[in-house]
Amino acid sequence: MILHPGATIYMNNDTKLQNDWYLLIDGVIDLMGRSQLVQTINSDLEPTSDGWIERDQQGSSNLFNYNYWSSPVGPINGSVNNGNYTVASVMRDGTNPASPTTINWVNGYNGSPTAPISVARYWIYKFQNIAATYANWTQVLETGTLSPSQGYTMKGSGAASPKQNYTFIGKPYNGIITNPISANNLNLSGNPYASAIDADKFIDDNVT
């Protein structure tokens, strides 16, 4: 599939766009709601793609509850696939899914339901390949580097609605994603793809 510059594919009504071979994204694929971009085992994302996808995800708006996230996209670029990301570079306020906006990252412990929403950077942490001690959470803020499939925590904006829509914007992750974990260590991991994965198969494939 080739998506030319200036072209946009709108995927609505929770639909699926499946690619089984070559994929060049120089335009935009907008995955609205629960729509998915499914890249099968032979899907080959062209590294020179400099377009992007938009993927909606819903989390809790509560100021005091953690959301656990993992980005399905990396930075927009026309050179490499599966690049590292920062939360600020890929995550947007998707209150209006048709027009995602930059999140207002604030100091202190609490966000607020401004327009765009304000989110406290303080609560963005990762837990990567370390011993099972609570103090081992590492604060990364919105500017710290995360690799594909690495997860992070974040709290909500305190909006009146119990759910907040966020939009991830960037180059979709593709192919095999590897994050080694040492024996007896723990890792906060997430799905790095813009589609659902088989949780049972994921566990079985990583049982060792």
Side-chain angles (χ1 to χ4, degrees), residues 46-190:
E46 171 60 53
T48 62
S49 298
D50 58 8
W52 63 88
I53 68 169
E54 299 183 7
R55 174 80 163 106
D56 289 336
Q57 293 283 323
Q58 290 74 45
S60 170
S61 299
N62 194 296
L63 286 174
F64 310 108
N65 290 346
Y66 278 116
N67 290 282
Y68 296 89
W69 298 105
S70 178
S71 177
V73 299
I76 300 168
N77 68 79
S79 55
V80 297
N81 293 338
N82 300 343
N84 293 340
Y85 70 96
T86 67
V87 177
S89 69
V90 298
M91 197 174 197
R92 301 287 184 270
D93 174 2
T95 302
N96 178 1
S99 183
T101 55
T102 301
I103 294 171
N104 182 32
W105 304 102
V106 297
N107 294 322
Y109 301 125
N110 294 331
S112 58
T114 53
I117 59 169
S118 296
V119 175
R121 56 171 56 94
Y122 180 89
W123 302 110
I124 304 177
Y125 282 79
K126 65 179 180 178
F127 200 101
Q128 307 297 335
N129 190 22
I130 43 183
T133 302
Y134 192 80
N136 281 340
W137 287 93
T138 303
Q139 190 180 51
V140 294
L141 308 176
E142 81 278 18
T143 55
T145 299
L146 294 161
S147 62
S149 85
Q150 285 189 337
Y152 60 93
T153 64
M154 196 180 81
K155 293 188 177 181
S157 66
S161 172
K163 293 293 184 181
Q164 170 67 49
N165 190 69
Y166 295 92
T167 304
F168 288 90
I169 297 179
K171 193 174 187 177
Y173 288 134
N174 170 268
I176 296 174
I177 303 293
T178 302
N179 266 313
I181 305 170
S182 303
N184 301 314
N185 280 3
L186 295 181
N187 202 75
L188 179 62
S189 300

